Amino acid sequence: MSSRRSRSRQQSGTSRITDDQITDLVSKLQQLLPELRNRRSDKVSAAKVLQETCNYIRNLNREADDLSERLSELLATTDTAQAALIRSLLMQ
Amino acid sequence: MSMNNPKQRLLLPGNPSGGSSSCIKSRFTRGFLRALIKMKKQNYNQPTSSSSSSSSRREVFRRRYRRVKIAADKSMAVAVGSTRLWSRAMLSRIRHQYQQQRWRYHRSNFNHQPIKVKRLVIEKKKKEKLRIKQKEEGSDDHHRRGLRDAGELRKLVPGGEGMDICSLLDETAHYIKCLVTQVQVMKSIDQFYSIN
């Protein structure tokens, strides 16, 4: 099954990509977006899904940036940081 | 838009039914924490006192922030492994940045001039590739309808510029899941810090 799928995917890579494959992947993507998750997939255009995907990735990147900044400050200021980190690593 | 799921706290063991995504999560958490500990051990708070000018202090802060950021991305990519295109692209990008950073750091130690980030040669090559790719796919129906925007997405997903549309969408879905995990874990580390 999986080999067949990968073969068909390879073929599509070289020659044609079917509409079904695209819509399937786009609706999978839609499920991951909090903005569009609860909407019916036929109500949302592929362009809209892609646009929202871009926004969502940008938001997540920004959030990760902010958290990196916070963590780097905490790491620099706290004396007990190392101990706390090790503890959380052990408890993980 | 809150992604703070109380059930998925850092300190609780990931639910075993979660499959590979919880596996990636715990691998990422472990790797990232290890990187942070290593950073802390290598006298993290080095030259702040000796170089007191505000610009160099800002430089130190910036470098610290970048180290944490790179550690987060690297641990994420390592946790995912090499089966994904985006994680491979991310790792090679980090490797490249690291080399460049070392070079810049080296240079800034000798002359204290503001450092301009040069455009990477690799990026140029990628853009060239993309232009060719777009020319090839320009005749494709999907690009006429709806999916014209994929160019924007390509820039956001690591390695996205060389992918065909199917793998781009597939990789994007996986990348988003991993980014969400990354943010979740970093948030809970931050919380853990604030409490202790």
Side-chain angles (χ1 to χ4, degrees):
Chain A
M1 179 64 202
S2 63
S3 71
R4 237 176 71 197
R5 193 190 292 161
S6 68
R7 204 191 319 144
S8 73
R9 204 173 262 181
Q10 270 173 8
Q11 277 176 356
S12 70
T14 51
S15 58
R16 283 195 75 239
I17 296 158
T18 64
D19 274 350
D20 286 347
Q21 269 178 306
I22 300 267
T23 39
D24 192 37
L25 287 164
V26 169
S27 71
K28 261 184 202 155
L29 212 50
Q30 192 192 329
Q31 294 306 309
L32 297 171
L33 307 172
E35 293 279 311
L36 303 175
R37 192 177 289 155
N38 298 321
R39 287 206 233 161
R40 275 180 52 187
S41 56
D42 52 340
K43 298 263 177 172
V44 187
S45 70
K48 175 81 177 157
V49 172
L50 285 190
Q51 188 56 50
E52 280 303 323
T53 306
C54 291
N55 293 341
Y56 191 43
I57 291 177
R58 256 184 238 114
N59 281 337
L60 287 168
N61 276 329
R62 208 173 301 135
E63 224 170 329
D65 285 350
D66 291 346
L67 284 163
S68 300
E69 209 170 299
R70 262 191 71 85
L71 286 176
S72 68
E73 279 164 22
L74 283 168
L75 212 58
T77 52
T78 333
D79 283 334
T80 52
Q82 198 177 323
L85 281 172
I86 291 171
R87 201 160 351 117
S88 61
L89 182 60
L90 290 175
M91 284 165 83
Q92 199 258 322
Chain B
M1 192 177 49
S2 160
M3 281 167 302
N4 218 353
N5 188 349
K7 277 183 186 168
Q8 289 182 302
R9 290 292 308 276
L10 160 74
L11 304 174
L12 294 174
N15 59 332
S17 60
S20 68
S21 77
S22 80
C23 197
I24 287 173
K25 184 176 182 174
S26 65
R27 269 206 301 265
F28 164 66
T29 313
R30 226 172 300 140
F32 184 49
L33 284 171
R34 262 199 214 116
L36 290 179
I37 291 168
K38 198 174 154 199
M39 242 178 257
K40 185 72 188 168
K41 271 183 189 162
Q42 299 167 348
N43 50 354
Y44 189 73
N45 9 355
Q46 17 154 325
T48 13
S49 52
S50 59
S51 52
S52 52
S53 80
S54 69
S55 70
S56 70
R57 190 174 290 169
R58 212 179 306 131
E59 176 65 21
V60 169
F61 279 127
R62 210 181 57 92
R63 208 181 306 137
R64 276 178 190 160
Y65 151 73
R66 280 183 58 83
R67 280 187 73 183
V68 173
K69 171 78 183 141
I70 288 172
D73 285 345
K74 194 178 170 184
S75 327
M76 191 73 248
V78 168
V80 169
S82 58
T83 52
R84 284 282 164 179
L85 294 173
W86 73 260
S87 60
R88 262 182 281 162
M90 187 176 253
L91 280 176
S92 72
R93 189 204 279 167
I94 289 169
R95 221 169 290 136
H96 190 83
Q97 277 175 351
Y98 178 69
Q99 281 165 355
Q100 221 199 13
Q101 205 182 13
R102 275 185 66 178
W103 177 76
R104 263 194 278 157
Y105 179 65
H106 199 65
R107 208 181 64 164
S108 69
N109 269 354
F110 289 101
N111 50 348
H112 292 273
Q113 284 175 357
I115 299 144
K116 283 175 196 159
V117 181
K118 283 187 181 172
R119 194 168 271 287
L120 304 179
V121 184
I122 282 187
E123 256 172 38
K124 266 186 196 162
K125 272 185 196 162
K126 268 185 192 162
K127 264 185 197 150
E128 192 68 33
K129 226 185 195 175
L130 173 66
R131 213 176 301 132
I132 294 164
K133 189 129 201 154
Q134 277 172 341
K135 226 183 244 174
E136 281 169 359
E137 288 183 358
S139 56
D140 202 351
D141 284 351
H142 298 296
H143 279 258
R144 298 259 167 79
R145 288 176 271 143
L147 293 176
R148 218 175 306 152
D149 238 353
E152 203 186 342
L153 190 60
R154 282 179 202 284
K155 285 181 207 145
L156 289 168
V157 179
E161 303 194 327
M163 295 178 198
D164 66 82
I165 188 72
C166 267
S167 26
L168 179 69
L169 294 172
D170 193 33
E171 294 286 323
T172 305
H174 193 262
Y175 180 55
I176 286 181
K177 279 185 214 159
C178 290
L179 274 180
V180 170
T181 309
Q182 188 186 46
V183 169
Q184 271 177 359
V185 170
M186 287 173 91
K187 254 186 200 162
S188 41
I189 291 174
D190 182 38
Q191 279 170 9
F192 187 84
Y193 253 135
S194 315
I195 296 164
N196 288 269

